[in-house]
Amino acid sequence: MNGGGFMIKIQDTQNFLYNRKLVVDLIKKSNIDKNDIIIEIGPGKGIITNELAVRVKRIYGIEYDVHLYEELKSRFLNVENVEIIYGDFLEFNLLEKYKYKVFSNIPYNITAKILLKLTSFSNPPEDIYYYSRGGS
């Protein structure tokens, strides 16, 4: 609930990517390769997850919306290098012992909190790639 007493739905604060070509172009411009472990914050519909799955060693997708989580869990059930986790990224225990990168289309309303968590952690990511588009 926000300060005005209105409920805010996660789908009202996140813009989903639908353009596969844009996602592929963003990944190609990154420093991500087949040996990388990726944390994807809010995989949503799975378009980024799908493209990363064929390009990296392992993906941990943390999804807050239970309906999206269930869809993603089913969609990536047989993809060995993808693990979909239900929960709030801000409560997620980051990887202590492994090098990792973050690639995500994050909800604009929590961008600052996410970046603070990532950059202040004892084992911060090697790289952070994020796409965030604010509301109008």
Side-chain angles (χ1 to χ4, degrees):
M1 192 173 286
N2 73 6
F6 298 100
M7 293 297 288
I8 298 175
K9 298 177 187 171
I10 193 78
Q11 63 264 28
D12 294 336
T13 63
Q14 185 171 12
N15 291 299
F16 295 110
L17 291 175
Y18 294 99
N19 186 328
R20 181 184 171 274
K21 183 179 179 328
L22 171 64
V23 172
V24 170
D25 287 346
L26 291 171
I27 294 170
K28 284 181 179 178
K29 291 177 182 178
S30 74
N31 192 27
I32 288 175
D33 67 37
K34 64 181 179 177
N35 297 311
D36 286 327
I37 297 172
I38 303 294
I39 293 177
E40 183 183 2
I41 305 161
K45 305 280 186 182
I47 188 168
I48 294 173
T49 315
N50 196 58
E51 295 303 322
L52 287 173
V54 297
R55 293 174 169 80
V56 301
K57 181 177 180 178
R58 184 108 181 119
I59 303 168
Y60 296 96
I62 299 98
E63 180 54 59
Y64 184 73
D65 181 293
V66 70
H67 300 292
L68 292 172
Y69 162 77
E70 289 171 358
E71 288 176 24
L72 291 163
K73 195 78 169 160
S74 175
R75 178 176 176 184
F76 293 102
L77 181 64
N78 296 316
V79 182
E80 292 184 17
N81 68 333
V82 176
E83 182 176 344
I84 305 298
I85 301 163
Y86 174 69
D88 182 348
F89 173 76
L90 296 174
E91 303 296 323
F92 177 74
N93 292 325
L94 291 169
L95 304 175
E96 291 276 351
K97 299 178 182 179
Y98 301 98
K99 292 181 179 184
Y100 64 96
K101 297 176 182 178
V102 173
F103 195 104
S104 192
N105 173 29
I106 58 179
Y108 65 84
N109 66 324
I110 58 170
T111 300
K113 289 179 183 177
I114 288 171
L115 292 176
L116 179 62
K117 176 177 178 147
L118 291 170
T119 58
S120 63
F121 183 60
S122 62
N123 182 27
E126 292 184 301
D127 292 315
I128 300 171
Y129 302 96
Y130 76 95
Y131 178 82
S132 183
R133 189 169 159 211
S136 41

